[in-house]
Amino acid sequence: MKEPPPVASKTISVVIPSYNEEKSVQAMYDRLTAVFRQSLSAYDCEIIFVDDFSTDGTRAEVRRLSALDPRVKGIFNARNFGFHRNVFSALTYGSGDATFMLFGDLQDPPENLPEFVSRWEAGAKVVIGQRRSSDEGWFMTACRHLYYKLIDWFADTPQIARFTGYGLYDRDFVEVLKEIDDIQPFLKAVVAEYGIGLEIVQYDQAQSSRGKSNFNFLKNYDFAMQGITSSTKLLMRMATFIAALVGIVCLGIAIFVFIQKLIDWDSYPVGAASRSVALFFLGAVQLFFIGVLGEYILNINGRIVRKPRVVVGERVGFGPTTPTPLPPAGADATEQDALGNARTESD
């Protein structure tokens, strides 16, 4: 009797968006390979570090590991394109049956991968990690809680609280991501909307290996506003309705005052206070909603520009087609064009 052909093992791609993670690259590699060796030995793997133009020795560490282990690969952006664009692009680089994403600062434990894989094999297309706790102070925790309450109130598709992208994504879902023609997509909103059959794994977030987060107040504000403007039109519509209501009330008061003035000319002496209060009130309402409108315009402007999400400067460990580094500063335009055609790729 003829034996059935052997079943090919599945491959899991691990993508690691990184920025200034020199201290954690080796630790990340050690912990990931230990997970595959001890718990996932039936699976093949590739480990792809996606570096967003680090200013430390992150790239040198990735090159060193790639020379020692062919499973380790590197994709180095030609410049810093920011968290959202790098993370979304990183998810599309894996070639495996599923792509596991975690971040280079080791706040999200690689040791949860077997649990993610178990749920994936049971039929889930997207398995994500949700922070149960973190080392953030009470102020940031309170701000995030308030933010998600607002999102739940306003959003057309509610976002997933305490989720940054850490999770396992089936190849079918990754193919959906590749179809999204958006220079700066908001991953939380995309996963919430298109993550059919989504499952959540609770975990405790560790402290960043670099000691402090790359996210300052302005970056957190940008993250929050992109989430709001990407998830709902209700805020803009509320601004329109309130502005219309205030306008009708003000028009009614103006007509009333005008008629009273005609009936009794001396009943309304000139009063600077009343004019000032009215002007400041209306000015405050207008400025607030102009600000909201500005946020939407900024979001729209970023989305309609047809340009690459990121530009890859170098690929490491991808075989004989691996491009060489970008030309040094000072190379003439002809030389840069010739080299660029061979080694610079757009996502």
Side-chain angles (χ1 to χ4, degrees), residues 95 172 194 204 222 344:
S95 61
D172 292 340
Y194 297 108
D204 297 311
D222 178 69
T344 302

Side-chain angles (χ1 to χ4, degrees), residues 105 108 116 138 143 154 177 205 231 259 302:
D105 60 2
D108 305 322
F116 285 73
W138 67 268
C143 288
F154 287 124
L177 298 185
Q205 191 176 55
S231 304
I259 293 174

Side-chain angles (χ1 to χ4, degrees), residues 40-57:
L40 299 172
S41 58
Y43 296 86
D44 294 329
C45 76
E46 62 175 355
I47 302 172
I48 307 173
F49 289 88
V50 185
D51 182 71
D52 198 24
F53 208 70
S54 292
T55 57
D56 63 359

Side-chain angles (χ1 to χ4, degrees), residues 246-258:
V246 171
I248 292 171
V249 171
C250 290
L251 179 62
I253 293 173
I255 293 172
F256 175 79
V257 170
F258 178 72

